[in-house]
Amino acid sequence: MDIKLIGKSPKIREVLRLISRVAPLGVQVLISGETGTGKGLAARIIHQLSPRKDKPFVTVQCGAIPDTLIESALFGHEKGAFTGASTRSKGFFEEAHKGTLLLDEIGDSSMAFQTALLHVLQEEEFCKIGSTRPTKVDVRIVAATNKDLRKGVSLGTFRQDLFFRLNVVEIKMPPLRDRDDDCMLIAEHFLHFFNQKYKKKLTGLSKEVKKIFMQYHWPGNMRELIHVVERAVIVEQSSLITPASLPPQLLEINQEIDNQNEDSMQFHLPLFDKPLKNAKREFEKKYLEGLLRRVNGNVSMAANLSGLRRQNLYLKIQQYEIDLDQFRKKK
């Protein structure tokens, strides 16, 4: 599979521009964003665009290492360093020498992990377990997190000095719901990919599926969309992906939206007791509120469904003093 970020939305184009600027420089990068937004993919692109591209790219799952194994995992050990150490072992830093080390979900790391990491970042060397001789290391660090590290610093769960070390440049990965029409581009790309993988010949997505995809909130972001497309390619029997091949949660959301649409289009008698100008304003405001509720406050999706330009829709939202936050799902 090609290592690339798919999309044409302004937010993803800005991410790609920032990646292209920082990748060749070798600075530490912090990639933040919700689960499934492509943080690991962005880290791999940074590595590929850097002078280290022909050297190792090593990933560390920060929250998965017990405190008792941190030094061995990061720095390795010498033969005979402890019971069971029958051979010399490299740690993550030695494996990534001259290359890139991705610290995945650094926000889940323990204080012991953070302390050990800070030391090697400051000194650019470490000692293996069972050795007193320092080992020099040349590694570029890219850290990824779905947590707010600034909040972690204020709560005392993340070291401030380590945060400043890691956060030389921050790249914020946007959630899929804020990426305009990128959903369709990603879906079509992986439809082609999974067609080849499973030797299928699906030609596209049905109109109903496209509508569902544009209306769905995608809490799992790009990762969830990819899994949905893969499932659909596997189970679909026709030439197009149809709603029947989608997982239950998408069909349930679609039914809720249809029910909301039916309710929102009911006219109430008091509307006819008002002057036409006032009735039109009231109806337009209710229409916009129903539309924004339908797409969870996503202005880009609302503009697409209403046929309005995004800028014009924003003006109407301001005109009717509509609070977008009331329609956005809280994390």
Side-chain angles (χ1 to χ4, degrees):
M1 188 187 303
D2 292 340
I3 300 178
K4 61 181 180 180
L5 283 170
I6 302 161
K8 297 180 179 178
S9 64
K11 289 190 176 183
I12 208 64
R13 286 202 302 266
E14 178 57 31
V15 167
L16 291 170
R17 279 194 293 269
L18 189 53
I19 286 176
S20 67
R21 292 192 193 110
V22 304
L25 302 179
V27 297
Q28 319 283 45
V29 178
L30 176 65
I31 306 174
S32 60
E34 297 176 10
T35 298
T37 50
K39 298 186 293 296
L41 182 58
R44 286 187 175 274
I45 295 173
I46 290 171
H47 176 70
Q48 281 196 337
L49 296 178
S50 76
R52 300 172 182 262
K53 63 181 180 181
D54 296 323
K55 301 299 181 181
F57 178 89
V58 178
T59 300
V60 182
Q61 299 295 334
C62 298
I65 304 175
D67 285 356
T68 54
L69 299 179
I70 287 172
E71 290 192 8
S72 178
L74 292 181
F75 312 133
H77 59 260
E78 298 290 354
K79 181 179 178 179
F82 49 84
T83 303
S86 57
T87 60
R88 181 182 185 274
S89 175
K90 290 182 177 181
F92 288 119
F93 271 91
E94 193 172 359
E95 287 181 356
H97 185 56
K98 297 292 185 182
T100 302
L101 186 64
L102 170 60
L103 302 172
D104 199 16
E105 299 306 348
I106 186 67
D108 293 334
S109 62
S110 66
M111 274 294 175
F113 183 98
Q114 294 171 34
T115 300
L117 178 61
L118 182 63
H119 174 79
V120 71
L121 291 181
Q122 289 174 334
E123 305 300 329
E124 296 184 350
E125 64 180 26
F126 59 87
C127 286
K128 285 177 170 290
I129 297 178
S131 173
T132 58
R133 185 175 61 185
T135 300
K136 286 288 183 181
V137 66
D138 175 14
V139 170
R140 182 189 194 166
I141 299 295
V142 177
T145 181
N146 64 0
K147 290 183 168 57
D148 184 349
L149 296 189
R150 293 173 180 82
K151 184 176 181 180
V153 170
S154 66
L155 293 174
T157 59
F158 200 87
R159 293 187 60 138
Q160 185 179 56
D161 44 7
L162 178 59
F163 173 72
F164 290 136
R165 283 272 179 180
L166 299 175
N167 189 30
V168 177
V169 176
E170 182 176 5
I171 296 176
K172 296 182 179 181
M173 299 299 295
L176 185 57
R177 61 184 174 275
D178 291 345
R179 291 176 55 182
D180 300 320
D181 296 330
D182 285 354
C183 178
M184 288 299 102
L185 293 175
I186 296 169
E188 289 166 3
H189 174 85
F190 283 98
L191 171 63
H192 176 70
F193 173 80
F194 291 122
N195 262 340
Q196 292 182 322
K197 180 177 180 179
Y198 297 111
K199 296 180 171 53
K200 301 289 288 282
K201 296 182 179 179
L202 278 73
T203 58
L205 286 67
S206 68
K207 291 182 179 179
E208 295 82 4
V209 168
K210 289 181 179 178
K211 179 181 177 182
I212 292 171
F213 277 18
M214 290 300 294
Q215 293 170 341
Y216 185 55
H217 192 61
W218 296 111
N221 292 294
M222 189 169 65
R223 184 181 300 155
E224 182 182 11
L225 173 58
I226 293 170
H227 289 167
V228 167
V229 172
E230 182 176 17
R231 177 189 190 276
V233 169
I234 292 171
V235 304
E236 185 60 64
Q237 298 298 312
S238 67
S239 61
L240 293 173
I241 291 180
T242 63
S245 65
L246 299 181
Q249 70 268 23
L250 269 76
L251 300 178
E252 291 169 4
I253 290 292
N254 190 53
Q255 185 59 50
E256 290 176 10
I257 290 169
D258 288 341
N259 292 340
Q260 288 175 4
N261 290 343
E262 290 177 8
D263 293 341
S264 66
M265 294 307 293
Q266 296 296 319
F267 287 93
H268 301 286
L269 287 177
L271 190 66
F272 299 101
D273 295 335
K274 301 178 180 180
L276 179 60
K277 181 178 179 180
N278 294 346
K280 286 173 66 177
R281 285 177 55 85
E282 182 176 325
F283 175 80
E284 189 171 49
K285 181 177 181 181
K286 289 184 179 297
Y287 167 81
L288 292 176
E289 289 175 339
L291 183 62
L292 289 165
R293 184 177 297 106
R294 171 182 176 182
V295 297
N296 301 307
N298 188 305
V299 177
S300 297
M301 288 186 182
N304 182 60
L305 292 170
S306 67
L308 293 170
R309 294 179 60 186
R310 183 187 175 99
Q311 183 178 7
N312 291 340
L313 180 56
Y314 263 121
L315 291 174
K316 287 185 176 294
I317 290 171
Q318 293 174 357
Q319 175 187 351
Y320 293 121
E321 299 181 345
I322 297 173
D323 180 12
L324 285 173
D325 288 339
Q326 66 179 305
F327 305 110
R328 290 171 173 159
K329 290 185 177 179
K330 305 299 182 184
K331 299 292 181 218

